[in-house]
Amino acid sequence: VFDEVCDTTGVTLKRFMSEVAMLNPELDEIKVLFGAIETACKAITNLVKRSQLPSSETLGFQGNINVQGEQQKKLDVITNNLLKRALRFTGRLGVLASEEEDAPVSIPGAPYSAGATKDVLIDAGTRYCAVFDPLDGSSNVDAGIPTGTIIGIYEFDETCEIDFSSLGSEDSEDQEALCLANTLQPGNNLVAAAYCLYSSSTFLVLTLGAGTFGFTLDENLGEFVLSHPNIKIPEESAIYSFNEANFNYWDEPLKATVRNWKAGTGASGKQFSSRYIGSMVGDVHRTLMYGGVFGYPGDEKNPNGKLRLVYEGAPMSFIVEQAGGISTTGTERVMDLIPELVHERTPVFMGSRNDVQEIIDGYAAWQ
Ligand code: AHG
Ligand code: MN
Ligand code: MN
Ligand code: MN
């Protein structure tokens, strides 16, 4: 289905999504969502690039701690509000979750209003749920290091346990429960995932479940143009990407594997190199382009590592798997994990099949 779309050059994201929607009518509303996502990412890339100018009002810290326990940046808040508005005004969303929102947010007037029933939820067309990290790597933004935005799109989860008959009540717990239930779906349920990387170029990389496609912002046109059709990650490489300051706290099998990669005595016999910028979107994009393993392991201090499953681990795993890579906690496929809390963290290793497999094999022998 995507072949016809990719055999021409100069395909803009708008045209790509229109042609995909023509070939797959059930994706027509996803096209509307990506229109909003595209506009939001263009606005964010401008904000990020201008944030360091003397006249900028968007520099530095917001002056409070977010639900993650992090010093919130002004740009975390600004990009979060920008994305919320852009997605909400598509009229296609029922609920959204964000790194920068304490709890999932139901969209006013969307299906979760009183009296809604399951088919209303679906017929209203506002059956989608978005989860996002509005500015990933935000601690880097004042150092001019690449940052990104990560987004996952789910459909309304018809199997979620909430008793719909109670939705008629004004009981906000039910509505909250329904919202929460829809943001706690496993990555396997994702219908789309995308990231935007604000770097030497502005790249928008997405999957709709049939391959991973990369677009580059042509600032002369103001359009994202298809530049990387059907990305396939190299099967193996010689790059690992971890915050090695935590090495002493890692699990033994990971230490052993990385020692081998450093000594050139791993499965591939290659001498590895280390690359780490501390922005997941930038580290994963390089991994997609050059191959390798990006990871944020669990360790003695933080058994579940640092990355959040719902709006970092799962969407990025979908993109990497659709590019032929794999993504694991070391013992489980990340896309299989069912979140219990919207901000829960998970260890993650994602990238080139053969290299990530070496970590999986190490953990399997250790169990
Ligand atoms: P965010 O800026 O959205 O909170 O995410 C930061 C994450 C991720 O981008 C990156 O891979 C990781 O933090 C880096 O963590 P360390 O600084 O601990 O290495
Ligand atoms: Mn953060
Ligand atoms: Mn992040
Ligand atoms: Mn973030």
Side-chain angles (χ1 to χ4, degrees), residues 95 112 117-118 121-122 127 129 155-167 174-186 189 338-339:
V95 61
Y112 303 98
T117 58
K118 202 177 287 192
L121 299 177
I122 304 300
R127 62 173 174 279
C129 160
E155 273 207 313
F156 184 78
D157 180 2
E158 297 185 286
T159 63
C160 70
E161 299 305 314
I162 303 296
D163 163 17
F164 285 89
S165 58
S166 71
L167 258 186
D174 286 349
Q175 296 181 16
E176 261 166 46
L178 180 65
C179 292
L180 206 53
N182 273 278
T183 56
L184 299 179
Q185 301 185 48
N189 289 10
I338 300 177

Side-chain angles (χ1 to χ4, degrees), residues 66 68 70 76 99-100 133 135-140 242-243 246 276 278-281 283 294 296 306-308 312:
N66 66 7
Q68 317 288 340
E70 302 165 344
D76 279 323
E99 179 202 353
E100 305 303 340
D133 176 357
L135 195 64
D136 172 70
S138 58
S139 60
N140 282 322
F242 302 112
N243 180 341
N246 299 320
Y276 190 75
S279 286
M280 181 187 197
V281 171
D283 280 319
F294 165 76
Y296 208 104
K306 175 180 181 181
L307 298 179
R308 284 58 52 118
E312 290 172 314

Side-chain angles (χ1 to χ4, degrees), residues 249 251 295-309 312-313 328-329 331-332 334 337 340-341 343-349 363:
Y249 310 107
D251 296 330
Y296 208 104
D299 61 36
E300 284 164 21
K301 296 177 296 176
N302 305 297
N304 288 325
K306 175 180 181 181
L307 298 179
R308 284 58 52 118
L309 171 58
E312 290 172 314
T328 177
T329 64
T331 55
E332 291 178 275
V334 173
L337 300 178
E340 284 168 18
L341 297 168
H343 297 301
E344 78 180 51
R345 298 168 194 258
T346 178
V348 66
F349 302 95
Y363 270 94

